Amino acid sequence: MIRLDLPDELALTFLQEPILDVYSVGPWRIPDGFPQLLQQRAIQANNDPRLAGWVAEGNAAWRTPNNGVPDTLDYMLNFLFGACAIRSGYWGDIFWGVTDPFLAQPREPRSPSFDYFRSQDGMWRPPGFLLPRTAGEDPERRRIAFAVLRSLVDVFADLEPLETRRAALARICDQRTAYIETDVHTHHDVLPDEWARGADAETLAALPELNGPTGYLGWVFDGFDDVHPFLLNVVGDGDTLETTIANLLLAAGMQSVPLELATFAGPDFFAKVEDQHRTLKPGFVAQTWKDAMARWLVRATIRGEIVACRAWLDMAMRLTGAAYGLPNRAALPPGTIWVPIGTFEWNIRELLANRPVPNPLSDRFSKQPESEKGQEESASSAPTSTHVVGQPDLDAALRAVEASDTPVRMLVAGPAGSGKGVAVQTLAEILKTRGFAQPPIWLPAAMLSEKTVTGAIDLLRYEVDRCKGIRLLVLDGLDEMLTVAQAADEAGEELLRLLDSTHNLHVIALCDPGGDDKVYAANPILHRNFRIVRTKDFDEEAFATLFERKAKQFGARTDSTLVAEAGRRLSAMRPFRNMRNGHLVGTLALDAIARAKARTGDENPVLTVEDLPEDVTGTRTEVDPFAELDALVGLEVIKREVRLLAAEAKAEKARRDAGITVAPPTRHFAFTGNPGTAKTTVARLLSGIYRSLDLLSGGHLVEVSRAELVGRYIGHTAPLVKAAVERALGGVLFIDEAYALTSSDHQWDFGHEAVATLVKLMEDHRSDLVVIVAGYEEDMDQFLASNPGLSSRFARRLRFPDYSDTELIEIFVSMVTGSGMTLGPGVQERVAQLLRETPRGAAFGNARHMRNLFERAMGRQALRITAGESPVDLAAVRSLLVEDIPEPDTKASDLEASTGSGAYL
């Protein structure tokens, strides 16, 4: 199950605490006693002496006599939430208890619940209809009614999600005092329009319903027109805005498209919606459409756009109500609303939100331009495979598709940027010539990885139904779908059945290098359904050709000498994660063109060799890891071991070059030792050493702990481990205190699952990944014994000894001098005295202890040099004196209280 990282503004949304969540505003924690405060205000308003003897024809559920206050408060609250707006939240329904004291029969106590997703119509508009009586009956009575109405608005003061709208309503009431003599004699049916016409721009922006039924529909359409294209761009596919609106209207049971839509959307857009409405109507099934939209929104949520998805739902519900209510005010259709609010919220929990009036969503979700094609894609749009460069097998496979009319069933396995995106684009172009006008649908492995068996099968069937006879289905990461997914076996069997039973289904599966072998191991029969194509890293000639094309595409001019040099530099560059092959070409071309533009001021510059960067991956470094290793204090045994490892790696490379086949030694390590003994530093240097020997492509260090690897519920752990491994590919994955992964035997602890997943991924990526686990020696012994595969994979162990006092003093001196300071007389002796009196338990921090001592000394120096009012003496700033060092009786715990960073830690 995917765990979503909610944005800060939605952090409260799914807590089991009193929460009110208005989609258009966000979640709000209900303060203790606040609902009771509102009730007290309501009771006080109901007892207003100005209403003595008043009787209103309100809800029969109220106690009699009823003066109209309870009904007015309920309708007003309804209005303040927004016409057909969405609200939810644990215990969010509690606010409807504001008028409970006025009921004739007590209501059952409200229970907190998550099962609460509501909307409400927008039929009430100020000044309402219960307190003010019909014009002409009693002008004085209406004056009182208007004054009481204003006091009722304040009952809901401090209800934060509604405060902007409440303040706007109060502003209307205050503004109308200037027109009271007109209002008391105006017929009630006309009053709402009169009050709305008098509203200023700020009030209208907060209360767009006052702009009339058509105006409100226009406001909602503006918001929907902003957020729907935004999500289309995020997901990469989906129904157009016209089709989506037609489906919304059909789901609401509307037999025709309201003509009012044309007044702000334009006649052409209206005609498209009407055409879609007419086309979809005969076979429309509301539940099917609802399920499809829920899946689409979940896909956008997985891509990090939960806020936009909530805005989409809110605008969709409002649009439904605004259109259904025409020509009157917004009203909810009878029966179930087929906007997938509840489905969306529950899915998120499983994965874990006639005056023109500007819609605030326009600022937040502005229309996005079409994203650039992948860097490896060609600019060619002709349905031909001739633009494939450096991949003869792929070129042949695409030509075979052109020459055949059988369904496309292709599996492409290879490194990033090696033409897989080109294959998808080219197949879509070929199919377009055969009437498949719709863009491809991408189904990434992440969409299936946490699905139950039922969920995985339903999703596969749904996506296949969307594609058959219409467009290409792209299975992005088929190898992962069949190995990591919770329902991997069942998903493979269902996909096989769908391929067998759906002749007009065109499918391309994309895999990492070696992914075709994993597919075969998981489901050999499924493997045989695909034509297997393997791509490879580009050579110098292919790089040169691609660079020339990419530079031309970006508007630059080149010559043969430049193109040849670009190919040479690209082939010499070390790729880093997915920055390789075609992606690397695009990055180099863009950087070179930017340099040329800065040099010449020409928008279409002629590139020169001087414009070509030496490296664009950001991993190039001139630091010698061996020299940095030698500069570390102490660790002589560790230094010898690391040099032995480097010698073995060089010898292994030499044997390969000589044609001798020798199984490479394991490069995964277990580092044992106490804190602050340079385990992390040596891991980083080892990564750089392996990179310098061409054994690792990136040479970077990714440090993780238990919290970043172990999930909190079923299905959460494997994706966390996979994400950490993917970040570390090309470098070292360093797991500090690794024994914490298996320290718990609780049945709901997923640490052992994390270890099992890690072992498998280490095998899958053995050629470009080093994993180092670290921790206390005894704890690491138990950890390595907890899984049969661990001991063999971490057969090499390096024990990091504690530093001697002499070495610790040397480390302290290096910290001082490395910061540009000098030591005064007696400083080293004071540090030595401190060390002699410091207990050396298991928690002693070694170099980390010295870092903390250095930081304490710097703090004491700061007090010394800033004492008094004289300017700070720069010479004093550069010196650390003996009085800056803490007294010898300082407790070790005082120094361990803070943590530092840097070498030795």
Side-chain angles (χ1 to χ4, degrees):
M1 187 175 292
I2 297 172
R3 175 65 181 173
L4 297 175
D5 292 325
L6 293 175
D8 291 343
E9 60 200 277
L10 298 182
L12 296 175
T13 305
F14 302 115
L15 298 181
Q16 290 197 21
E17 298 179 21
I19 301 294
L20 174 63
D21 185 8
V22 179
Y23 269 35
S24 58
V25 179
W28 176 65
R29 191 189 303 274
I30 303 169
D32 292 343
F34 187 71
Q36 293 73 25
L37 173 62
L38 295 189
Q39 280 192 355
Q40 293 170 9
R41 292 177 183 172
I43 293 171
Q44 184 177 358
N46 187 66
N47 296 334
D48 193 320
R50 292 174 293 181
L51 300 180
W54 285 39
V55 177
E57 296 176 1
N59 193 324
W62 306 123
R63 293 198 313 261
T64 56
N66 172 18
N67 58 15
V69 168
D71 279 290
T72 301
L73 287 173
D74 270 357
Y75 280 110
M76 185 183 294
L77 180 60
N78 203 320
F79 173 80
L80 291 176
F81 275 115
C84 304
I86 300 174
R87 66 186 189 281
S88 66
Y90 192 73
W91 218 348
D93 199 21
I94 193 171
F95 289 99
W96 293 107
V98 170
T99 54
D100 280 2
F102 312 123
L103 291 170
Q105 298 294 328
R107 196 195 305 267
E108 288 292 326
R110 297 171 189 269
S111 300
S113 173
F114 265 132
D115 189 15
Y116 176 72
F117 320 110
R118 302 286 174 83
S119 186
Q120 61 286 315
D121 62 36
M123 301 307 290
W124 188 88
R125 288 174 70 189
F129 54 86
L130 287 165
L131 286 176
R133 309 308 297 168
T134 305
E137 284 186 357
D138 188 343
E140 182 56 31
R141 186 182 180 102
R142 295 193 80 183
R143 291 189 186 93
I144 295 173
F146 292 145
V148 171
L149 178 68
R150 176 62 182 86
S151 68
L152 296 187
V153 176
D154 288 339
V155 168
F156 299 106
D158 306 315
L159 183 48
E160 189 172 308
L162 310 183
E163 182 56 28
T164 299
R165 289 175 60 86
R166 188 205 68 84
L169 179 58
R171 197 158 50 244
I172 293 175
C173 294
D174 293 339
Q175 290 169 348
R176 293 311 297 183
T177 57
Y179 305 95
I180 189 157
E181 292 308 316
T182 300
D183 289 347
V184 297
H185 296 289
T186 301
H187 194 280
H188 179 269
D189 292 345
V190 181
L191 273 178
D193 292 334
E194 290 295 326
W195 283 43
R197 272 192 288 270
D200 57 26
E202 182 183 3
T203 300
L204 261 183
L207 304 172
E209 299 93 330
L210 299 185
N211 210 25
T214 302
Y216 184 58
L217 180 62
W219 181 88
V220 174
F221 174 80
D222 285 346
F224 202 60
D225 185 29
D226 287 319
V227 72
H228 187 78
F230 175 85
L231 289 176
L232 278 177
N233 186 59
V234 168
V235 178
D237 65 72
D239 292 332
T240 64
L241 182 64
E242 296 92 330
T243 301
T244 302
I245 290 177
N247 280 318
L248 274 172
L249 299 178
L250 288 168
M254 298 185 63
Q255 300 303 307
S256 60
V257 180
L259 295 172
E260 291 84 348
L261 183 65
T263 62
F264 43 81
D268 292 341
F269 185 90
F270 174 81
K272 292 178 181 178
V273 175
E274 198 170 41
D275 180 64
Q276 287 294 308
H277 188 277
R278 183 168 49 252
T279 302
L280 296 170
K281 184 177 179 180
F284 183 79
V285 179
Q287 183 66 53
T288 301
W289 176 78
K290 171 189 172 183
D291 292 343
M293 291 312 302
R295 291 190 185 97
W296 186 74
L297 291 169
V298 170
R299 292 170 67 190
T301 301
I302 289 173
R303 288 163 171 79
E305 295 299 341
I306 185 174
V307 176
C309 291
R310 285 162 53 96
W312 188 98
L313 287 165
D314 191 45
M315 290 295 109
M317 181 64 86
R318 291 179 191 244
L319 192 146
T320 299
Y324 184 84
L326 290 170
N328 299 312
R329 292 184 289 278
L332 297 177
T336 304
I337 302 299
W338 294 110
V339 176
I341 309 165
T343 308
F344 171 77
E345 289 233 9
W346 286 112
N347 274 328
I348 297 308
R349 289 190 175 89
E350 288 184 357
L351 295 172
L352 295 316
N354 306 335
R355 280 177 288 175
V357 179
N359 190 294
L361 294 178
S362 299
D363 294 331
R364 189 161 193 175
F365 306 113
S366 59
K367 293 184 178 67
Q368 302 291 316
E370 263 193 41
S371 59
E372 281 190 73
K373 301 293 184 184
Q375 294 291 345
E376 81 272 21
E377 293 181 359
S378 165
S380 171
S381 59
T384 175
S385 57
T386 56
H387 57 276
V388 175
V389 175
Q391 306 294 348
D393 291 347
L394 179 59
D395 187 72
L398 293 174
R399 290 182 183 278
V401 171
E402 276 189 293
S404 172
D405 58 358
T406 57
V408 175
R409 304 288 167 83
M410 186 183 298
L411 186 154
V412 185
S418 60
K420 291 183 284 187
V422 172
V424 173
Q425 180 193 22
T426 305
L427 287 176
E429 292 166 355
I430 293 171
L431 292 176
K432 191 174 182 179
T433 66
R434 303 175 188 175
F436 288 68
Q438 297 289 339
I441 285 182
W442 289 72
L443 179 58
M447 288 290 291
L448 282 172
S449 60
E450 282 76 45
K451 293 285 185 184
T452 61
V453 172
T454 301
I457 291 175
D458 283 348
L459 180 58
L460 278 172
R461 290 176 180 174
Y462 170 72
E463 298 294 9
V464 167
D465 282 341
R466 295 179 67 198
C467 291
K468 58 184 180 184
I470 300 176
R471 48 186 145 193
L472 177 69
L473 175 61
V474 184
L475 300 175
D476 192 1
L478 179 61
D479 48 344
E480 182 181 337
M481 291 181 190
L482 301 182
T483 54
V484 179
Q486 183 176 331
D489 293 341
E490 295 80 3
E493 289 300 324
E494 180 64 17
L495 178 59
L496 176 61
R497 187 192 67 78
L498 291 169
L499 291 175
D500 288 341
S501 61
T502 316
H503 177 75
N504 60 343
L505 176 65
H506 298 270
V507 181
I508 178 172
L510 308 179
C511 299
D512 289 334
D516 53 316
D517 294 333
K518 296 179 185 178
V519 173
Y520 181 82
N523 195 319
I525 301 299
L526 178 62
H527 181 275
R528 290 179 61 87
N529 273 262
F530 292 96
R531 173 170 179 165
I532 307 302
V533 180
R534 297 181 181 89
T535 60
K536 58 184 180 180
D537 288 325
F538 291 125
D539 57 21
E540 185 174 327
E541 181 181 355
F543 270 128
T545 302
L546 286 170
F547 178 84
E548 184 176 23
R549 290 186 179 183
K550 187 62 68 174
K552 182 179 179 181
Q553 177 187 337
F554 292 152
R557 290 166 286 173
T558 61
D559 58 34
S560 58
T561 302
L562 171 78
V563 168
E565 177 61 18
R568 186 194 67 77
R569 293 194 186 187
L570 284 164
S571 63
M573 280 185 200
R574 294 176 181 272
F576 179 62
R577 296 187 65 183
N578 64 347
M579 188 176 283
R580 59 198 313 138
N581 297 312
H583 302 302
L584 203 57
V585 174
T587 305
L588 182 74
L590 287 171
D591 285 1
I593 292 171
R595 287 184 173 191
K597 287 181 178 179
R599 175 174 53 81
T600 65
D602 187 356
E603 282 301 308
N604 301 107
V606 176
L607 300 182
T608 67
V609 172
E610 289 72 25
D611 297 322
L612 295 174
E614 286 294 333
D615 184 81
V616 294
T617 64
T619 61
R620 184 184 177 93
T621 176
E622 304 302 330
V623 176
D624 181 359
F626 288 104
E628 195 173 345
L629 178 69
D630 289 339
L632 293 178
V633 174
L635 302 175
E636 297 306 324
V637 174
I638 299 298
K639 292 175 183 177
R640 286 197 300 270
E641 287 292 328
V642 171
R643 289 197 172 274
L644 175 62
L645 295 172
E648 289 178 352
K650 287 182 181 179
E652 179 195 344
K653 184 177 184 300
R655 293 181 187 118
R656 287 201 313 268
D657 294 341
I660 301 174
T661 303
V662 179
T666 178
R667 298 194 185 96
H668 306 300
F669 299 92
F671 287 1
T672 63
N674 290 326
T677 50
K679 296 186 292 296
T680 306
T681 299
V682 171
R684 176 178 57 79
L685 294 177
L686 189 60
S687 178
I689 290 169
Y690 277 172
R691 181 182 188 275
S692 69
L693 298 173
D694 289 329
L695 296 176
L696 289 176
S697 61
H700 60 294
L701 179 77
V702 173
E703 185 175 358
V704 295
S705 62
R706 171 188 164 89
E708 295 163 277
L709 298 176
V710 179
R712 283 170 281 179
Y713 44 82
I714 295 173
H716 187 201
T717 297
L720 289 179
V721 178
K722 182 176 181 294
V725 167
E726 287 180 345
R727 293 199 306 275
L729 286 180
V732 168
L733 178 66
F734 183 80
I735 307 174
D736 199 10
E737 298 182 353
Y739 50 83
L741 293 174
T742 56
S743 59
S744 174
D745 292 325
H746 192 279
Q747 62 173 332
W748 293 115
D749 184 85
F750 303 107
H752 291 279
E753 180 188 350
V755 171
T757 305
L758 177 64
V759 168
K760 180 184 181 304
L761 291 173
M762 288 167 62
E763 183 65 24
D764 291 345
H765 301 289
R766 60 184 179 274
S767 64
D768 202 25
L769 175 71
V770 170
V771 178
I772 298 177
V773 293
Y776 294 108
E777 188 162 9
E778 292 184 4
D779 293 321
M780 292 301 294
D781 289 341
Q782 297 177 13
F783 168 70
L784 294 175
S786 67
N787 183 291
L790 284 178
S791 294
S792 60
R793 285 172 175 79
F794 294 102
R796 309 194 74 149
R797 299 178 64 167
L798 294 182
R799 183 183 180 279
F800 287 69
D802 289 336
Y803 288 106
S804 67
D805 284 7
T806 301
E807 290 170 335
L808 289 173
I809 293 171
E810 187 177 347
I811 289 172
F812 180 83
V813 171
S814 70
M815 290 177 179
V816 175
T817 57
S819 64
M821 302 177 66
T822 60
L823 286 88
V827 170
Q828 293 191 47
E829 290 75 9
R830 171 69 65 82
V831 172
Q833 185 179 3
L834 274 174
L835 287 173
R836 286 193 296 272
E837 299 185 11
T838 300
R840 301 297 180 92
F844 178 70
N846 286 286
R848 188 173 300 155
H849 180 87
M850 304 315 291
R851 166 68 63 179
N852 295 338
L853 176 60
F854 172 62
E855 291 177 354
R856 284 284 305 279
M858 292 293 287
R860 291 166 65 96
Q861 188 225 35
L863 291 174
R864 173 173 59 81
I865 64 177
T866 58
E869 299 182 359
S870 301
V872 176
D873 182 1
L874 295 183
V877 172
R878 298 187 182 96
S879 298
L880 197 67
L881 304 181
V882 68
E883 56 260 40
D884 298 326
I885 308 300
E887 296 295 329
D889 62 348
T890 300
K891 302 294 185 183
S893 57
D894 294 337
L895 300 178
E896 301 299 335
S898 61
T899 58
S901 61
Y904 310 105
L905 303 186

